[in-house]
Amino acid sequence: MSTPVRGRVRVAQGAKRVRVFLGGQVVADTVHPLLVWEVPYYPTYYFPRADVVSGVLAPSGRTSHSPSRGEGVLSTIKGGGGEAVDAALEYPDSPIEELRDHVRFEFGAFDWFEEDEQIFTHPRDPGVRVDILPSSRHVRIEVDGVTVADTVRPHLLFETGLPTRYYLPRVDVRMDLLTKIDTVTHCPYKGAAEHFDVTGHEDLAWSYPTPLPESERAAGLVAFLDEKVDVYVDGVRQDRPKTKFA
């Protein structure tokens, strides 16, 4: 897979079959998707226009300008009894040649499949790997000087570009100090996470009750936001990571 860079936008040829559905009706189906990093954190799929179902694109007359991609033409998609207003975008005269004659669909407006597996949140980055490894390291979590978790059987989650996360068995967590909240977040690699307040602090912990198959080892375990708690590993206090969650 080649990954040419055009200014701040990276473009790569994908290898998966990717399909987009609206109301159960397919609106695009390709085995030649482009992965486009509009932001540094994850890619977006662009479809060859020839692989978009004929007649589903209805230009709205509105445009969207990008400093790197150029002037975009918006279209509304109708299918399966549903409508996604201005949810398709084309850059017919983009300075990035690869994007011309391609269509970008707004991720949250449709149902997406890579091969025959539904994906959520955003496309998976082929350069990201997630490893979840059992460990015998001693991990202890403190919040305001109070130990809220203490275990010698954590699972360590290593995800490309992110700090190590410590996933702990619930029997080794003071669940009486955690309060489940309504927040649910989604990860394209791990699935849907439930969240918890901890001793009066908002949204400091999370868990994946039914993770995606590749992350099954994390099922039911509890992780804490290391940016805002004190983590001790084998008795050594860890530096708090500096991330966007800090």
Side-chain angles (χ1 to χ4, degrees):
M1 174 167 45
S2 62
T3 57
V5 176
R6 302 290 184 267
R8 292 181 298 168
V9 177
R10 182 159 62 101
V11 179
Q13 182 65 60
K16 300 171 182 174
R17 180 190 184 190
V18 182
R19 286 175 289 169
V20 177
F21 289 80
L22 179 64
Q25 177 181 320
V26 64
V27 297
D29 184 347
T30 188
V31 293
H32 302 290
L34 285 182
L35 288 160
V36 181
W37 281 259
E38 301 173 339
V39 296
Y41 313 111
Y42 55 84
T44 297
Y45 277 128
Y46 279 62
F47 289 72
R49 206 177 201 282
D51 292 336
V52 177
V53 173
S54 177
V56 300
L57 290 172
S60 67
R62 288 179 284 273
T63 61
S64 176
H65 180 75
S66 164
S68 58
R69 285 162 275 149
E71 198 69 23
V73 177
L74 292 164
S75 291
T76 292
I77 304 294
K78 294 183 179 181
E83 181 179 68
V85 177
D86 287 348
L89 182 61
E90 298 174 81
Y91 294 99
D93 300 309
S94 176
I96 304 173
E97 184 177 352
E98 292 91 337
L99 303 189
R100 302 172 196 167
D101 201 34
H102 280 71
V103 182
R104 175 198 191 278
F105 293 93
E106 191 65 34
F107 196 91
F110 303 94
D111 295 320
W112 292 74
F113 287 79
E114 291 178 342
E115 298 298 336
D116 290 344
E117 181 174 296
Q118 189 169 4
I119 62 171
F120 303 92
T121 311
H122 60 73
R124 298 178 175 113
D125 187 327
V128 170
R129 179 184 174 97
V130 177
D131 291 309
I132 305 172
L133 304 179
S135 176
S136 57
R137 300 174 76 176
H138 181 197
V139 177
R140 186 167 62 87
I141 309 293
E142 281 190 4
V143 177
D144 293 338
V146 176
T147 296
V148 298
D150 192 334
T151 189
V152 291
R153 46 183 179 171
H155 278 67
L156 275 57
L157 189 146
F158 304 92
E159 183 172 343
T160 305
L162 294 177
T164 302
R165 297 296 184 189
Y166 303 93
Y167 281 74
L168 315 178
R170 291 195 181 215
V171 293
D172 295 331
V173 176
R174 287 281 309 274
M175 295 302 296
D176 58 309
L177 301 179
L178 276 62
T179 302
K180 186 178 176 181
I181 58 177
D182 292 335
T183 300
V184 176
T185 56
H186 297 270
C187 170
Y189 313 101
K190 299 185 286 292
E194 59 185 14
H195 287 244
F196 302 86
D197 292 344
V198 183
T199 65
H201 295 271
E202 294 183 357
D203 203 357
L204 281 192
W206 67 89
S207 180
Y208 291 95
T210 54
L212 296 173
E214 61 264 39
S215 296
E216 284 181 348
R217 283 183 167 181
L221 305 180
V222 178
F224 291 83
L225 189 61
D226 297 350
E227 290 86 340
K228 296 184 178 180
V229 303
D230 293 318
V231 180
Y232 293 82
V233 178
D234 293 332
V236 178
R237 185 172 180 265
Q238 306 299 295
D239 293 333
R240 291 188 177 184
K242 292 179 171 60
T243 72
K244 63 181 180 179
F245 304 110

